[in-house]
Amino acid sequence: MKVSRFRSARQLLTGEGATEQLPQHLSALNIHSPLLVTDKGVRDSGSLTLISQHLTEGSFSIFDQVPPEPEVDIVKACAAAFKHGQHDGILAVGGGSAMDIAKCTAVYVDHDGELEDLFGEDQVRQRRVPLIAIPTTAGTGSEVTNIAILSDPEAQLKKGIVSDHLLPDLAIVSPEMTLSCPPTVTAASGVDALVHALEAYLSNFASDITDALAIKAMTLIINALPKAYAQADNLSAREAMATGSLLAGLAFGNAGVGAVHALAYPLGGRYHISHGVSNALLLPHVMEVNKMACIERFSDIAAAFGAPVHQLSHQQAADYVLERLYTLCSDVNIPARLRDLSIPEADLPQLAEEAFGVKRLLRNNPRDLSVSEILGIYQAAY
């Protein structure tokens, strides 16, 4: 029996109305002057009011300069705001970008060297700053993972900091925080969560625990995402998506993700395509290539999607899964082809080389992929 280790935020608070318990948790963590890390979209949507109403006026400040696909300089600006305001804790309120900036800032403010020193696995030595993560999208799972991703504009790549010190002290996952999420973000982040569950289930490092989390996440997301996309105020669909995203985050935070993410990173780094859209474009094509290495597992996925698997062969089940993925992405209006995003076809070989270098993720993938096979996936997606 192989030994498995399970990581998560130190505490999870979930369900409708969970944010109302924020004050007592701030007190327990000795946070009296928090910095709220968010983006302008979340601030303008009014979602931040659901958090700030539980804080003493004048006791906090807001850093809202987080863009989509944030670069390393945003962490440095956020750290400067933290120090200038003499804050004693960080509240991340937003999607994956805001949470990643908050996580990076929390470990960087006490670091004596350069931020770039922390890239890679287990390069962080400590975190003294208390950290709370409150997602406003159902997608990234960043509130329960030990990973943060930043864009490196010079290398035109995405780079990661991987450390258990990035795990928040508390994650608050509440469906009402996602009600103001625009349909396009609901779609992209929702498919991202589904990718997390799928890749965790097919990972070489999956365990019985991550399998159970991933399967439940798939069932919730495949059924709830179209409803959440079509009816922004459907709280039951939003709650199913919030729970599904959380479960998927717990699954991939421990089992890892694979080739879909590895191939998506160069797209975000070079062309600033959102992470969720990049994943969605590549998802069915990577699954098509992977299925021969783990086709029995596709029957489990098909069952989670609602297929009568007792009537299907493994191949038929795999075909059913791929068809559902294509249909889902089409239903929520995610672009179907890379060419629709104005990516030059001549860039595909370079993208393949860059993706092949993302060994941290490719080692999780159930099928070993060569540069030429990766290029073939990009060409199929093009």
Side-chain angles (χ1 to χ4, degrees):
M1 178 180 177
K2 62 182 180 181
V3 175
S4 298
R5 182 181 175 206
F6 193 81
R7 305 175 183 86
S8 178
R10 292 177 187 170
Q11 292 188 75
L12 294 176
L13 198 60
T14 64
E16 186 178 352
T19 55
E20 295 174 9
Q21 297 185 26
L22 178 61
Q24 66 198 63
H25 288 277
L26 288 171
S27 179
L29 291 169
N30 290 315
I31 300 176
H32 306 287
S33 176
L35 177 66
L36 273 63
V37 178
T38 190
D39 62 64
K40 291 187 182 298
V42 170
R43 189 171 190 174
D44 293 344
S45 74
S47 295
L48 210 60
T49 305
L50 295 172
I51 302 304
S52 61
Q53 67 182 351
H54 299 299
L55 305 176
T56 303
E57 187 174 352
S59 69
F60 65 94
S61 59
I62 298 171
F63 179 86
D64 64 359
Q65 304 302 306
V66 179
E69 314 301 318
E71 299 175 355
V72 293
D73 286 348
I74 302 298
V75 176
K76 297 173 183 178
C78 189
F82 181 88
K83 292 176 180 178
H84 177 75
Q86 297 183 311
H87 296 290
D88 57 9
I90 294 177
L91 269 65
V93 185
S97 295
M99 286 189 281
D100 282 1
I101 291 297
K103 288 157 72 173
C104 291
T105 301
V107 297
Y108 178 55
V109 290
D110 287 326
H111 179 59
D112 293 331
E114 297 296 322
L115 174 63
E116 289 75 9
D117 300 339
L118 304 179
F119 285 121
E121 297 182 72
D122 298 321
Q123 300 303 306
V124 179
R125 295 290 172 259
Q126 64 176 351
R127 172 172 64 82
R128 289 196 289 259
V129 176
L131 175 63
I132 297 175
I134 307 173
T136 60
T137 65
T140 69
S142 185
E143 70 275 10
V144 289
T145 69
N146 68 342
I147 305 164
I149 302 297
L150 299 172
S151 292
D152 183 338
E154 292 185 9
Q156 292 189 316
L157 288 172
K158 287 192 171 186
K159 295 183 177 179
I161 299 175
V162 184
S163 168
D164 287 355
H165 292 294
L166 293 180
L167 290 165
D169 296 290
L170 171 68
I172 301 178
V173 181
S174 188
E176 63 265 27
M177 290 300 299
T178 70
L179 285 172
S180 61
C181 192
T184 54
V185 178
T186 295
S189 60
V191 174
D192 188 23
L194 184 59
V195 174
H196 291 155
L198 287 164
E199 292 212 285
Y201 192 70
L202 299 178
S203 170
N204 292 327
F205 298 95
S207 69
D208 289 344
I209 295 173
T210 60
D211 282 352
L213 293 166
I215 287 291
K216 182 62 176 180
M218 292 177 212
T219 301
L220 288 169
I221 294 167
I222 200 72
N223 291 304
L225 180 53
K227 297 174 185 176
Y229 176 78
Q231 300 173 315
D233 61 350
N234 186 326
L235 193 60
S236 62
R238 292 288 188 181
E239 182 154 22
M241 285 302 303
T243 302
S245 172
L246 173 62
L247 296 176
L250 291 169
F252 95 85
N254 290 278
V257 288
V260 176
H261 278 72
L263 273 66
Y265 279 4
L267 297 179
R270 278 182 171 267
Y271 311 108
H272 305 290
I273 300 169
S274 81
H275 180 62
V277 171
S278 298
N279 277 342
L281 281 165
L282 294 164
L283 174 60
H285 305 287
V286 173
M287 292 295 108
E288 177 71 48
V289 169
N290 275 345
K291 68 181 183 182
M292 71 167 63
C294 51
I295 197 162
E296 297 86 359
R297 296 221 126 197
F298 275 78
S299 289
D300 301 334
I301 296 169
F305 284 6
V309 291
H310 61 283
Q311 301 174 12
L312 304 176
S313 67
H314 290 319
Q315 182 61 56
Q316 289 171 324
D319 292 342
Y320 174 89
V321 169
L322 292 172
E323 183 61 33
R324 283 297 300 273
L325 294 177
Y326 281 117
T327 300
L328 176 67
C329 291
S330 174
D331 285 347
V332 298
N333 289 314
I334 288 179
R337 304 179 303 180
L338 289 177
R339 71 176 64 201
D340 297 333
L341 301 175
S342 302
I343 296 172
E345 190 171 9
D347 288 3
L348 298 185
Q350 180 61 37
L351 292 174
E353 291 285 352
E354 292 173 6
F356 185 69
V358 188
K359 302 296 188 185
R360 179 178 65 84
L361 302 185
L362 290 178
R363 71 188 181 198
N364 304 327
N365 201 63
R367 180 176 172 181
D368 294 333
L369 297 175
S370 66
V371 174
S372 62
E373 288 167 333
I374 292 173
L375 176 58
I377 294 171
Y378 280 128
Q379 289 170 334
Y382 194 78

